[in-house]
Amino acid sequence: MELSPREHGPISIRIVRPRDARTLQNELMENRAWLRPWEATSPDGPTSFDMRLGVKRLLQQYRDGLGVPFVMEHAGEVAGQLNVWGIARGSLASATIGYWVSKRFAGRNITPTAVAMATDVCFFELGLHRMEICIRPENAASLRVVEKLGFRYEGLRRRFIHIDGDWRDHYAFALVREEVPEGVLRRWVNGAAPQDAAVIPPADRISG
């Protein structure tokens, strides 16, 4: 299924293209210090970094129906990536969202807008039922994204993903389609997202 770009004001998402590889690699290299604490790593040791190959793999997963690789743009300029991964069909009908944004674009509501649009695509174009975002307790900026959009806190996952050289704890947040019949973006823009859905109970809180 070919997905059309989505946009809201100056912010848009579209499927990644092979020619984006150079731009994305440059952004990642220029933002190494900014992104390193949140980047997935391999428990087997360092791996080579080849964005052309990475984009090729993402597009193959897209063709196979296993993921949706978006580029986030601001006023037509690449600002980061948003990947829908781990798509499960059938009785589960779910997927997970991951993303990164360049430091120079931080603070412009690019990530929450892109997450909202991508979630709407998954619910209303791809027919998925549940979308999940997992966030390190130390990542205050990403926690603010799920707070803004009203993603519901679902629990603490101990040593869940290998990030920045070790297995890291993550908080899990999710939405199901019935919670947002009007769409995630419209609910947020209309100021109707619940303000306390993403609140982490004291028993699960880990200081960042």
Side-chain angles (χ1 to χ4, degrees):
M1 179 180 182
E2 190 63 33
L3 297 173
S4 299
R6 287 283 191 107
E7 62 180 31
H8 178 72
I11 300 165
S12 62
I13 58 172
R14 60 169 175 80
I15 299 298
V16 70
R17 304 165 184 148
R19 64 176 178 269
D20 293 320
R22 182 187 293 268
T23 300
L24 290 169
Q25 182 149 336
N26 289 341
E27 288 294 327
L28 285 170
M29 296 306 293
E30 291 174 6
N31 284 269
R32 291 300 296 153
W34 166 257
L35 297 172
R36 185 178 290 113
W38 324 117
E39 285 183 344
T41 47
S42 171
D44 299 322
T47 57
S48 61
F49 178 69
D50 183 342
M51 183 52 73
R52 282 192 179 87
L53 180 59
V55 168
K56 184 177 179 180
R57 287 173 173 166
L58 288 171
L59 287 171
Q60 185 60 55
Q61 291 174 358
Y62 178 49
R63 288 189 290 269
D64 292 341
L66 301 175
V68 185
F70 289 109
V71 166
M72 298 188 287
E73 293 184 324
H74 185 274
E77 189 175 1
V78 171
Q81 283 182 277
L82 185 154
N83 290 319
V84 176
W85 57 276
I87 291 179
R89 293 291 183 175
S91 57
L92 198 55
S94 71
T96 299
I97 288 177
Y99 47 78
W100 63 265
V101 67
S102 297
K103 186 175 182 178
R104 62 198 176 97
F105 288 103
R108 302 191 198 182
N109 270 333
I110 293 171
T111 304
T113 304
V115 168
M117 291 190 291
T119 303
D120 287 345
V121 167
C122 289
F123 282 161
F124 304 114
E125 293 188 49
L126 300 182
L128 296 181
H129 177 252
R130 179 180 179 276
M131 298 300 294
E132 179 176 278
I133 299 177
C134 294
I135 301 170
R136 286 189 60 183
E138 302 88 350
N139 194 340
S142 276
L143 291 173
R144 185 71 185 122
V145 170
V146 291
E147 288 169 4
K148 287 180 178 180
L149 299 181
F151 271 70
R152 182 174 24 79
Y153 178 71
E154 288 200 334
L156 172 63
R157 297 184 177 179
R158 294 286 187 183
R159 298 180 64 78
F160 180 53
I161 303 176
H162 203 271
I163 301 283
D164 191 26
D166 201 0
W167 296 103
R168 309 291 183 176
D169 296 341
H170 282 68
Y171 293 139
F173 303 86
L175 279 177
V176 295
R177 194 166 54 205
E178 293 89 343
E179 292 176 277
V180 285
E182 74 277 39
V184 182
L185 181 63
R186 181 174 295 179
R187 185 177 74 162
W188 176 43
V189 169
N190 290 341
Q195 298 299 299
D196 58 354
V199 171
I200 299 157
D204 284 358
R205 286 178 192 161
I206 297 174
S207 58

